[in-house]
Amino acid sequence: MNNRKGILLMIAAIAAFAVQDSFSRLLAERYNTLMVVMVRYWFFAAFVMFLALRRPEGLLTAIRTRRPAAQALRAVLLVIEICVMVYAYTLIGLINAHAVFAVCPLIVIALSGPILGERLTWQRWATVGVGLIGVLIILRPGHDVFSWPALLPLITALFFAAYSVLTRLTARDEPFFASFFWPAFLGAILMTVIGLPHWQAIKPEDTAIFLTYATISILSNWLLQKTYEIAEASAVQPFAYLHFVFIAILGLTFFDEELALPVILGAALIIAAGIYSLWQTKAEPKGAL
């Protein structure tokens, strides 16, 4: 394991995902969300198929799964999460959407007890509570600027948390590549069925934007895969919170978004709770849940 290189790869991957999200917002403001996500899935599926064909154990062995129903459910959850999140970008912007979505790892902690049978300490429950307080600070329910679209990233956090917990469940008896392959492949099929009826002709001036979007989508997933191949997850995961930092920079620079004080305070609270939870997990003796 090379954790130092893994950290650099994780930062690069998170930066690429932030740029990908920016392109998602840009394109979803010009074309419908379903079409934008469909194109993204086409290139993602092509990427994982390319990797599958290059696997030393052979294509069929590489993609063999013992849990087809679970893999199908993961694909559906991820499709819904991505579609709703991209739509949220067009309504409330990148910064506000990701500030709320940052609570996702804490929701994973809350779900890991009943679903995975993990023992949750009071410290972990406390981090979940602190994270939810951060969400309330951002959303400011009852405030005159509160609106229903602000709930969309919270919904996506719930769906992605369910996807993440199911991924951990399948990882107990599934090889990594099969779990990486099937959500992309099945998701592409599902998005084609849903998105193709909503196809819009791509304007010539937008062709380069779509191609760049597709390229970054492949790059971000490749970087993330390489990260987990060479580094321990516990060593690199805290750096995933840089996503919000990159998103804030892009939102302020290219979309004239605002970084309101409640958003800063709420996001800081959520991120601090998440990092503390990761620290607690790393500090536990091996074998402890």
Side-chain angles (χ1 to χ4, degrees), residues 19-70:
V19 174
Q20 174 186 279
D21 291 337
S22 298
F23 274 93
S24 294
R25 175 184 170 171
L26 176 65
L27 289 170
E29 290 177 341
R30 303 183 184 185
Y31 302 87
N32 68 81
T33 298
L34 296 178
M35 174 184 164
V36 173
V37 176
M38 178 179 66
V39 172
R40 171 173 164 178
Y41 260 101
W42 284 349
F43 284 88
F44 186 24
F47 171 62
V48 298
M49 180 60 73
F50 171 76
L51 292 180
L53 291 171
R54 291 172 55 89
R55 299 291 292 184
E57 67 269 34
L59 173 64
L60 295 180
T61 301
I63 67 175
R64 184 176 298 144
T65 176
R66 300 175 184 175
R67 297 174 177 262

Side-chain angles (χ1 to χ4, degrees), residues 31-147:
Y31 302 87
N32 68 81
T33 298
L34 296 178
M35 174 184 164
V36 173
V37 176
M38 178 179 66
V39 172
R40 171 173 164 178
Y41 260 101
W42 284 349
F43 284 88
F44 186 24
F47 171 62
V48 298
M49 180 60 73
F50 171 76
L51 292 180
L53 291 171
R54 291 172 55 89
R55 299 291 292 184
E57 67 269 34
L59 173 64
L60 295 180
T61 301
I63 67 175
R64 184 176 298 144
T65 176
R66 300 175 184 175
R67 297 174 177 262
Q71 300 294 6
L73 179 57
R74 290 177 65 233
V76 171
L77 289 170
L78 192 59
V79 161
I80 295 173
E81 184 269 328
I82 292 175
C83 287
V84 175
M85 192 64 168
V86 172
Y87 183 55
Y89 295 158
T90 66
L91 298 178
I92 63 173
L94 292 169
I95 294 175
N96 291 334
H98 274 282
V100 177
F101 185 79
V103 78
C104 181
L106 300 177
I107 299 176
V108 171
I109 293 173
L111 294 178
S112 64
I115 296 178
L116 299 177
E118 296 182 359
R119 182 178 63 85
L120 301 182
T121 63
W122 70 266
Q123 291 97 330
R124 289 193 179 181
W125 279 117
T127 61
V128 173
V130 170
L132 292 178
I133 292 173
V135 171
L136 290 175
I137 292 174
I138 296 169
L139 296 181
R140 289 168 285 173
H143 195 273
D144 57 359
V145 299
F146 176 78
S147 60

